[in-house]
Amino acid sequence: MNNHEVMNGNPQMNGELIVVSGPSGVGKDALLELLFDSLPGVVRSVSATTRPPRDAEIDGKDYHFISRGEFEKGIESGYFYEYAEYGGNLYGTPKSAVDEQRAAGNDVILKIEVQGAELVKKLTPDAHLVFIEPPSFEELEKRLRSRKTDTDEKIAERLGIAQKELGLSENYDYRIVNDDLLETASRLKNLILSLRDRT
Ligand code: 5GP
């Protein structure tokens, strides 16, 4: 995994910047959908990626699916707040969309991997880092296999990355074990409400 610092964060904005990480298959997408349904004023940053879309994914909603050439141009022009290489593909957070949403008073969720999260904390020290953990490594493997979206080779690669990611979760501000999805969503919602109260 490579990772690169691109632009400086702007500390004068209103909405909170919240990073949500966790190994592939831990349930981040389902969790965030429940969160967005139940809490107004929270939006997700839509990343750009060079990974091809999975079956049900929609361009512009799940990701901006772009070519490596386009991504590289984006890097050069300073389009990305942060970006990283994961499993052979590039993933990056568009800076302007995040800034605009925060300036409008919305809390912005970045669903990104661990090295991107570390960079965000460096660029924007008041960002809040949340790590979603599986109940166990065996459970994670079961969930990844039942998803049926990746080949055995990809699953093995994602599990290898997951092992490393779990080792880095102690650098996060908050850790939540996703045992029961509804309960995890409610804990995440309460966490964001408490962050709003604090500021
Ligand atoms: P997936 O291919 O499963 O959608 O994503 C692979 C990993 O890349 C996940 O951990 C996801 O959170 C992370 N990711 C998605 N977008 C970004 C991004 O913009 N920046 C970084 N650093 N990681 C991202």
Side-chain angles (χ1 to χ4, degrees), residues 47 51 54 63 82 86 91-93 111-113 158:
S47 295
R51 167 170 77 62
R54 297 193 186 115
Y63 281 106
E82 63 73 40
Y86 179 101
Y91 296 81
T93 305
K111 193 198 76 172
I112 62 176
E113 50 68 67
R158 280 170 187 263

Side-chain angles (χ1 to χ4, degrees), residues 124-195:
T124 310
D126 61 352
H128 310 282
L129 269 51
V130 183
F131 193 90
I132 309 297
E133 290 184 344
S136 66
F137 198 73
E138 290 71 30
E139 176 63 25
L140 183 70
E141 180 165 4
K142 213 169 91 191
R143 288 184 196 172
L144 269 179
R145 292 202 185 280
S146 67
R147 200 157 81 165
K148 295 193 166 66
T149 51
D150 292 308
T151 59
D152 279 357
E153 196 183 84
K154 273 278 167 208
I155 290 174
E157 184 180 34
R158 280 170 187 263
L159 284 171
I161 298 172
Q163 213 145 23
K164 287 190 201 125
E165 287 176 326
L166 289 169
L168 293 171
S169 68
E170 61 196 35
N171 300 336
Y172 280 65
D173 301 312
Y174 307 93
R175 280 185 281 174
I176 306 177
V177 176
N178 184 22
D179 207 346
D180 177 88
L181 190 63
L182 286 176
E183 197 186 310
T184 310
S186 148
R187 288 173 72 185
L188 185 58
K189 176 178 170 181
N190 288 333
L191 170 62
I192 295 172
L193 288 172
S194 74
L195 296 175

